[in-house]
């Protein structure tokens, strides 16, 4: 059996729909971290609506859903102002942070810390701060819901 890996801290330059959050400050609560880009077709069609749905469906629990806008391409088009319009148009209510840009315009900081392969990516973090699941691409709603329920149990 694999040794549980501690979830690295997130690095966020700006927050929407929330005051600033840290994983350290959320310890004791399960966290669903959804990494996305607003110009990513898989994110727009599936990943981001799924994360928002999880946020709404589990809002009576202590699950924290965080959207992480992690831009690794088309930087000029995906500005915070454009993201703010995207959040409004898609009626997103979950907390959303902008992943800090990497040095020299490289890969974003949190994306690098987690070794993400792209977007959408979903990371489920347990109450103890360890990574329970790290998925990439389209994930089945029922499977994600079952993982969340297990993390809440």
């Amino acid at each position: 059996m694999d040794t549980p890996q501690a979830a690295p801290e997130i690095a966020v330059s700006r927050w929407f729909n929330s005051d600033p959050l840290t994983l350290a400050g959320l310890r004791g609560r399960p966290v669903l971290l959804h990494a996305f880009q607003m110009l990513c077709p898989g994110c727009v069609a599936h990943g981001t609506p799924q994360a928002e749905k999880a946020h709404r469906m589990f809002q009576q629990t202590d699950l924290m859903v965080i959207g992480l806008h992690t831009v690794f391409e088309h930087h000029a088009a995906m500005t915070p102002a454009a993201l703010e319009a995207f959040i409004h148009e898609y009626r997103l209510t979950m907390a959303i942070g902008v992943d800090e840009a990497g040095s020299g315009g490289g890969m974003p900081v949190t994306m690098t810390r987690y070794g993400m392969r792209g977007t959408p990516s979903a990371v489920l973090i347990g109450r103890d701060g360890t990574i329970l699941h790290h998925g990439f691409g389209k994930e089945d709603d029922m499977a994600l819901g079952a993982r969340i329920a297990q993390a809440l149990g």
Side-chain angles (χ1 to χ4, degrees):
M1 181 175 211
D2 292 336
T3 304
Q5 180 185 354
E9 189 55 75
I10 56 177
V12 173
S13 60
R14 182 166 175 194
W15 286 95
F16 295 91
N17 299 337
S18 177
D19 290 329
L21 299 167
T22 63
L23 293 181
L26 293 168
R27 186 68 47 92
R29 295 176 66 178
V31 175
L32 175 62
L33 184 62
H34 162 63
F36 74 102
Q37 294 187 99
M38 63 183 155
L39 294 181
C40 158
C43 298
V44 174
H46 183 75
T48 303
Q50 182 182 60
E52 179 67 19
K53 186 175 182 180
H55 167 67
R56 291 176 191 227
M57 290 192 71
F58 292 98
Q59 65 186 357
Q60 301 303 317
T61 72
D62 65 345
L63 175 72
M64 184 67 192
V65 178
I66 300 174
L68 184 70
H69 193 240
T70 183
V71 179
F72 58 89
E73 59 190 356
H74 309 301
H75 291 82
M78 291 193 275
T79 63
L83 177 60
E84 191 167 21
F86 178 86
I87 291 166
H88 174 76
E89 291 300 321
Y90 284 88
R91 295 177 171 83
L92 302 176
T93 60
M94 65 183 149
I96 295 175
V98 177
D99 198 354
E100 280 184 15
S103 60
M107 296 298 273
V109 175
T110 307
M111 185 177 202
T112 300
R113 287 179 183 171
Y114 279 85
M116 293 177 186
R117 297 183 292 162
T119 56
S121 287
V123 180
L124 185 60
I125 301 164
R127 295 180 188 281
D128 63 354
T130 60
I131 296 173
L132 302 175
H133 172 73
H134 188 164
F136 171 62
K138 185 175 180 178
E139 294 199 63
D140 182 78
D141 287 344
M142 292 289 286
L144 183 61
R147 286 186 186 99
I148 290 169
Q150 195 169 25
L152 287 167

